[in-house]
Amino acid sequence: MRIHLGCQMTYDLPQPTPMIVLLNVHYSRAGDLERPDWLVTSPAVPVQAYRDAFGNWCNRLTAPPGRITLRTDGVIRDEGLPDPVKLDAWQHPVEELPSETLQYLLGSRYCETDVLSEVAWALFGATPQGWGRVQAVCDFVNRHVRFGYEHSSPFRTAAGTYAEQRGVCRDFTHLAIAFCRCLNIPARYCTGYVSDIRQPPPYAPMDFAAWMEVYLSGRWWTFDPRNNDTRFGRVLIAQGRDAADVPLTHSFGTHQLADFQVWISELPPE
């Protein structure tokens, strides 16, 4: 299927402000882009692209004082299949994991494995290893945490989410990641588009979403503790240890968000 996707963010800035922006489709999907989702700014400013330590496409710019709008708009081709499932995927012993996955076993800014280790083993130590254990984590987090945009906080960690039992998709994801890491399952944070394609109405206003990937049976698999259902048209933007590694925008100065829009929808076939 063909998917139209993009976003528009408007900021008010009191002075010239350097920014890092992660809004473009992940390089692993670059070959699927029918129309690239280039970053466009209004007013126009020089934009420099680079890859970060995780391989994500990033843009850096200096926004002038006043109002600036950042916009992407593209078309991507997708196989139209749901997130893949392998119920018999196995868990690797730590000593057999590829070295590049080991950083996703460690605690990070929003995922305190030291705080949650005993809780994780108490909750999931008796579950079957592999896919079943990760699904048990997602089922628990989905039931345990109450979703609401009014619960959003840039300071809430996985341990805070477990204690408060509320949050937004990034909080669901941080808690599930922390539990998986405590259980010796590599888990990384992902951000991007999760569409409502083939979902029954009513539809909430579109937003960027967070989910996780876990390493089982020699590859990374998608799990979504917030939605915990079958999704079509998931499009990755960036991945890292947690949300601190992949903010959609990061400004080195004061800013005020004035407008925020996200869109993703299926287009008719050509």
Side-chain angles (χ1 to χ4, degrees):
M1 60 185 175
R2 302 170 65 238
I3 300 174
H4 176 216
L5 49 73
C7 66
Q8 181 170 296
M9 301 179 184
T10 300
Y11 294 93
D12 290 324
L13 305 144
Q15 61 190 18
T17 305
M19 302 181 73
I20 297 174
V21 180
L22 284 79
L23 294 175
N24 298 114
V25 169
H26 195 258
Y27 74 89
S28 61
R29 299 294 305 272
D32 298 325
L33 284 167
E34 177 182 312
R35 188 178 76 223
D37 59 335
W38 305 123
L39 176 68
V40 177
T41 71
S42 179
V45 299
V47 176
Q48 178 185 349
Y50 70 96
R51 302 274 287 281
D52 68 10
F54 301 97
N56 303 309
W57 291 118
C58 306
N59 292 288
R60 58 185 300 189
L61 57 94
T62 299
R67 176 161 289 194
I68 187 169
T69 295
L70 312 175
R71 180 181 173 89
T72 67
D73 190 70
V75 175
I76 192 168
R77 294 186 178 274
D78 189 88
E79 292 182 346
L81 301 175
D83 298 327
V85 173
K86 184 176 174 60
L87 298 178
D88 61 349
W90 68 87
Q91 179 176 337
H92 295 258
V94 173
E95 63 272 20
E96 296 178 9
L97 284 167
S99 297
E100 62 270 18
T101 68
L102 296 180
Q103 66 177 321
Y104 300 110
L105 287 178
L106 307 178
S108 57
R109 164 69 178 85
Y110 289 104
C111 302
E112 316 100 313
T113 53
D114 54 344
V115 177
L116 291 169
S117 181
E118 290 187 10
V119 174
W121 284 103
L123 289 171
F124 309 109
T127 59
Q129 288 193 3
W131 191 279
R133 180 164 290 180
V134 178
Q135 189 58 59
V137 167
C138 290
D139 292 343
F140 173 85
V141 172
N142 183 265
R143 294 192 307 266
H144 183 76
V145 183
R146 182 174 71 258
F147 180 86
Y149 287 111
E150 69 275 14
H151 304 317
S152 178
S153 168
F155 308 111
R156 185 181 295 113
T157 65
T161 301
Y162 177 71
E164 298 174 24
Q165 301 183 40
R166 61 182 182 178
V168 292
C169 59
R170 63 178 259 159
D171 301 308
F172 285 71
T173 302
H174 284 148
L175 182 55
I177 286 173
F179 280 151
C180 286
R181 292 177 185 173
C182 290
L183 300 165
N184 298 328
I185 303 170
R188 64 189 182 190
Y189 183 95
C190 300
T191 184
Y193 299 90
V194 177
S195 78
D196 289 325
I197 295 171
R198 303 182 191 173
Q199 294 290 312
Y203 304 120
M206 188 52 61
D207 194 358
F208 285 118
W211 63 91
M212 69 175 181
E213 291 178 346
V214 302
Y215 193 83
L216 300 169
S217 292
R219 57 160 286 187
W220 293 97
W221 301 88
T222 294
F223 285 84
D224 187 343
R226 157 67 179 102
N227 294 300
N228 206 30
D229 59 12
T230 300
R231 291 286 165 149
F232 299 82
R234 186 186 303 272
V235 181
L236 178 67
I237 288 178
Q239 55 198 194
R241 292 166 299 183
D242 60 31
D245 290 329
V246 290
L248 297 170
T249 59
H250 183 97
S251 70
F252 296 88
T254 301
H255 70 269
Q256 181 69 40
L257 181 64
D259 180 59
F260 178 84
Q261 300 176 47
V262 179
W263 53 88
I264 178 169
S265 59
E266 186 174 5
L267 292 172
E270 288 185 320

